[in-house]
Amino acid sequence: MSNPLAPVYYSEETVRRFLNWSLVIEAVESALQAVVAMSGHTPNEPFVNQPVRSFTSSSEPGQVLLTMPAFVGNYKLTSAGSGGDAANIPRSTLACKLVTSFSSNPHREPPLPSINANILLFSLETGELTTIMAGTDITTWRTVAASLVATRHLYFRRFGPRAEREREITVAIIGCGVQGQMHASAFCSQFKVKQLNLYNRTIAKAQRLSEQLQQTPGFGSQTKITVCNSPGEAVQGSDVICVATYSKVPLVHAADLRPDGCVHINAVGAGEIHYSEVADNVYGLAQIYVDSYANAQSELIGLAAPITAELGSVIKHGTYPAESAVTIFQSMGMASEDACVAQAVQDAILSRGRLPNL
């Protein structure tokens, strides 16, 4: 006989069916804005209690277990399928993500994802574990969604509210692994990308991504794709740059950026040093934004440049950069993002009456 109090398990296959950019972007924006109020909030305002994540390394290099708890209070979700008055009711979520990062996994035969995750959701009344949700796809999607949100508010909004719909851009993808692939696909689906430059250390992977994108139903014929021989070639002339590698040496240098400035960089790599992919001379001329000051204080130690603001503050207050600015979104990922996306996915599943895969 099954235990009625046993947690429900949602498999990666089930989660994948309910992920879409509208749902994930809204959940990530909610988390980014809520984290701004961590140091103090007024009643009924969204807020986050989010300890600094813990890292546990194994005896092998490149193998890490992360523990990421979060409580997100008084936030709203409208894209998860609840609809009606329920969509306007503030909600709260208590969650913890357990994630492993094994950098050698893509080199296995067959290849495996470098990131594996599970998200735990808890009852706010009893503290009991209610849900275990496969979180690898959520981790990938929320990371890409954070880049999309950052690009919207740090790049497009500097040109005005209509720029996102009207302005054509050139995008560089540095690193064509899982994150690079998802960034390329998402940016082309969400923005007007006229030119997509792809670079990967092994050029064959960039070529495969180019072929996959061009064979994707609905992929815009207006987007020209170029496979580049160096990161510098990919960066030159690009308006938006997405860097997603494990590189320990800089791949993006100031000399390769547009001479007029006006560049936005999403730095999302999972290397041991979060800021190793971008050269010091770029950080020296850029305005740097983060998802969380608390994460930055513990994970960007040694970064020789000041942080301008949290991204959530820009979203809340509309303090957009100047048109000619070089901006960097230093994406570290937050448990609050995982909590909000997992909650949105569960809401979407339950609202459609779908039985979970147990």
Side-chain angles (χ1 to χ4, degrees), residues 52 109 183 186 193 236 280 338 356:
V52 174
E109 199 56 55
H183 272 77
V193 178
Q236 289 176 3
D280 288 345
D338 300 307

Side-chain angles (χ1 to χ4, degrees), residues 149-162:
V149 172
T151 302
R152 172 186 294 164
H153 291 279
L154 299 179
Y155 180 77
F156 284 108
R157 292 294 170 85
R158 66 175 76 174
F159 304 107
R162 297 174 60 88

Side-chain angles (χ1 to χ4, degrees), residues 11-23:
S11 69
E12 205 73 74
E13 179 183 358
T14 297
V15 170
R16 195 173 295 132
R17 292 171 186 163
F18 288 87
L19 289 171
N20 61 73
W21 288 122
S22 176
L23 179 148

Side-chain angles (χ1 to χ4, degrees), residues 45-352:
E45 181 185 20
F47 71 99
V48 169
N49 286 331
Q50 181 175 247
V52 174
R53 75 190 92 195
S54 67
F55 291 79
T56 303
S57 299
S58 76
S59 59
E60 298 295 327
Q63 298 181 353
V64 181
L65 168 67
L66 294 84
T67 306
M68 303 170 61
F71 175 80
V72 189
N74 297 331
Y75 71 101
K76 296 179 182 179
L77 295 173
T78 61
S79 299
S82 53
D85 293 336
N88 295 315
I89 299 175
R91 60 180 328 113
S92 297
T93 300
L94 179 63
C96 183
K97 186 172 79 169
L98 303 176
V99 54
T100 55
S101 176
F102 278 47
S103 60
S104 63
N105 278 4
H107 307 295
R108 294 181 178 274
E109 199 56 55
L112 295 172
S114 58
I115 304 294
N116 290 281
N118 284 281
I119 300 171
L120 314 180
L121 298 177
F122 299 88
S123 167
L124 293 175
E125 295 181 1
T126 67
E128 293 175 294
L129 177 63
T130 61
T131 304
I132 302 172
M133 183 176 294
T136 301
D137 278 351
I138 287 178
T139 300
T140 302
W141 278 67
R142 64 85 154 139
T143 302
V144 177
S147 293
L148 292 169
V149 172
T151 302
R152 172 186 294 164
H153 291 279
L154 299 179
Y155 180 77
F156 284 108
R157 292 294 170 85
R158 66 175 76 174
F159 304 107
R162 297 174 60 88
E164 184 178 338
R165 297 187 298 272
E166 299 175 351
R167 192 177 183 88
E168 294 185 333
I169 59 173
T170 296
V171 174
I173 303 293
I174 310 298
C176 296
V178 173
Q179 278 293 335
Q181 294 166 24
M182 285 289 288
H183 272 77
S185 175
F187 271 70
C188 289
S189 70
Q190 297 298 304
F191 304 131
K192 297 180 70 173
V193 178
K194 63 180 178 181
Q195 173 70 44
L196 181 66
N197 296 333
L198 305 177
Y199 168 76
N200 196 76
R201 184 171 54 85
T202 53
I203 195 169
K205 182 175 285 189
Q207 291 171 333
R208 286 197 298 273
L209 175 56
S210 175
E211 294 168 359
Q212 291 169 4
L213 290 170
Q214 294 178 74
Q215 295 170 4
T216 301
F219 183 79
S221 59
Q222 76 278 4
T223 302
K224 179 183 177 182
I225 304 177
T226 300
V227 174
C228 302
N229 293 313
S230 69
E233 179 187 349
V235 166
Q236 289 176 3
S238 293
D239 304 295
V240 177
I241 302 162
C242 301
V243 197
T245 75
Y246 284 95
S247 179
K248 297 180 180 179
V249 298
L251 302 174
V252 178
H253 299 269
D256 296 321
L257 301 180
R258 293 168 52 104
D260 59 352
C262 194
V263 175
H264 174 66
I265 301 169
N266 295 302
V268 299
E272 293 179 11
I273 301 177
H274 277 287
Y275 52 87
S276 60
E277 303 166 302
V278 179
D280 288 345
N281 59 10
V282 178
Y283 281 106
L285 57 86
Q287 296 176 22
I288 304 167
Y289 297 83
V290 296
D291 42 27
S292 162
Y293 277 133
N295 281 353
Q297 289 171 356
S298 64
E299 297 177 28
L300 298 182
I301 297 171
L303 177 63
I307 293 170
T308 302
E310 290 175 319
L311 177 56
S313 178
V314 176
I315 299 170
K316 289 183 70 171
H317 305 300
T319 50
Y320 306 120
E323 288 189 10
S324 61
V326 175
T327 54
I328 299 175
F329 174 53
Q330 197 70 47
S331 179
M332 293 165 285
M334 302 188 297
S336 54
E337 294 171 331
D338 300 307
C340 289
V341 176
Q343 185 70 68
V345 169
Q346 179 169 260
D347 289 354
I349 293 172
L350 297 178
S351 71
R352 300 180 195 182

